[in-house]
Amino acid sequence: MKPLIEITTVPIQIEMKTTNAKLEYARGTVEMEISRDKGGLNIKSRPIRVNIDTFEARNSITPTLARSLEQGAQKGQQAAYQATATYAQQGKLMMETKLGEEVITKFSRESLMKNVKDVGLTFLPSTGPEITWDVGEMNIRYEMDKLNFDWKFGEGDFKFTPGDIELTVTQRPEVIIKYIGGPIYVPPSSDPNYEPVDVRG
């Protein structure tokens, strides 16, 4: 006897779509600012300086009161020294004098010979001016322009995209039951191809 039912199963169909995870890096921006400091040329000059001091030269012509007193004191001191020396020399001559020698004549002759040398001529001014000088100088200072660079860095940004799994059921599971037998007659004896079943053993 042939089977009357045919059972067919249809499996489930699933479509899976995956998206990989991504890590993206966005580069930071960089900005640069340039500024300039201007230099320059600086020249500093000081010419030579001559200093002429005529104080001593003027004092030799027309001395001040203080200088005149000082010079008088010096001349008096010098005259005292000369007088002392003269008296000493005359005393020595007197001690060495012999009888009949004219001592006064010797004193007069020696004093005249000394005064002959001093003729009374003096050149004015007796002292010249004192001349000094300061050396001149020149300073040159040059500065170049300066460039200043200011860098500004922007931080980079990381962007993470997680992975994704998408499931789609394209076919649901099914069980198909199909009757493949012939028509069923009730009672069975009404079947044109009916054959009685022999139940005798």
Side-chain angles (χ1 to χ4, degrees):
M1 183 175 181
K2 294 181 180 180
L4 300 178
I5 296 173
E6 181 182 38
I7 299 174
T8 305
T9 59
V10 178
I12 188 172
Q13 291 183 1
I14 299 174
E15 181 179 347
M16 183 172 62
K17 184 178 181 181
T18 61
T19 303
N20 296 330
K22 293 187 297 183
L23 180 62
E24 297 176 344
Y25 173 71
R27 292 183 179 178
T29 57
V30 179
E31 296 180 0
M32 182 180 65
E33 295 182 359
I34 301 176
S35 60
R36 174 179 293 178
D37 296 336
K38 291 186 178 181
L41 177 64
N42 185 12
I43 300 177
K44 184 178 180 181
S45 175
R46 188 180 69 182
I48 188 172
R49 181 178 178 181
V50 179
N51 303 315
I52 301 176
D53 186 3
T54 60
F55 180 76
E56 295 296 335
R58 285 186 285 108
N59 273 336
S60 66
I61 299 174
T62 55
T64 61
L65 179 60
R67 182 57 63 89
S68 179
L69 293 175
E70 182 182 356
Q71 290 176 353
Q74 289 178 355
K75 288 180 180 179
Q77 187 177 6
Q78 186 176 2
Y81 288 155
Q82 289 179 355
T84 303
T86 302
Y87 290 145
Q89 187 176 7
Q90 289 177 357
K92 183 179 179 183
L93 287 174
M94 290 181 69
M95 291 178 66
E96 295 177 356
T97 303
K98 297 178 181 179
L99 292 174
E101 193 175 3
E102 297 181 0
V103 180
I104 298 175
T105 305
K106 286 185 178 182
F107 289 161
S108 300
R109 187 172 58 247
E110 288 181 3
S111 62
L112 286 174
M113 293 302 293
K114 289 182 179 177
N115 292 330
V116 169
K117 297 179 182 178
D118 189 6
V119 295
L121 294 177
T122 304
F123 293 96
L124 297 177
S126 61
T127 303
E130 183 180 355
I131 300 175
T132 59
W133 62 87
D134 298 332
V135 180
E137 64 177 354
M138 177 179 289
N139 295 323
I140 300 176
R141 182 179 180 184
Y142 174 70
E143 291 185 359
M144 299 179 61
D145 294 349
K146 296 180 181 179
L147 292 178
N148 301 318
F149 297 91
D150 187 11
W151 295 88
K152 296 181 179 179
F153 296 92
E155 296 182 357
D157 186 19
F158 289 93
K159 183 180 180 181
F160 176 71
T161 304
D164 186 25
I165 300 176
E166 182 180 352
L167 298 176
T168 304
V169 179
T170 59
Q171 175 65 49
R172 294 184 179 181
E174 292 182 341
V175 177
I176 301 174
I177 301 174
K178 184 177 179 182
Y179 178 72
I180 59 174
I184 299 175
Y185 294 94
V186 179
S189 59
S190 61
D191 184 4
N193 297 324
Y194 177 73
E195 292 181 0
V197 177
D198 189 7
V199 293
R200 291 180 296 175

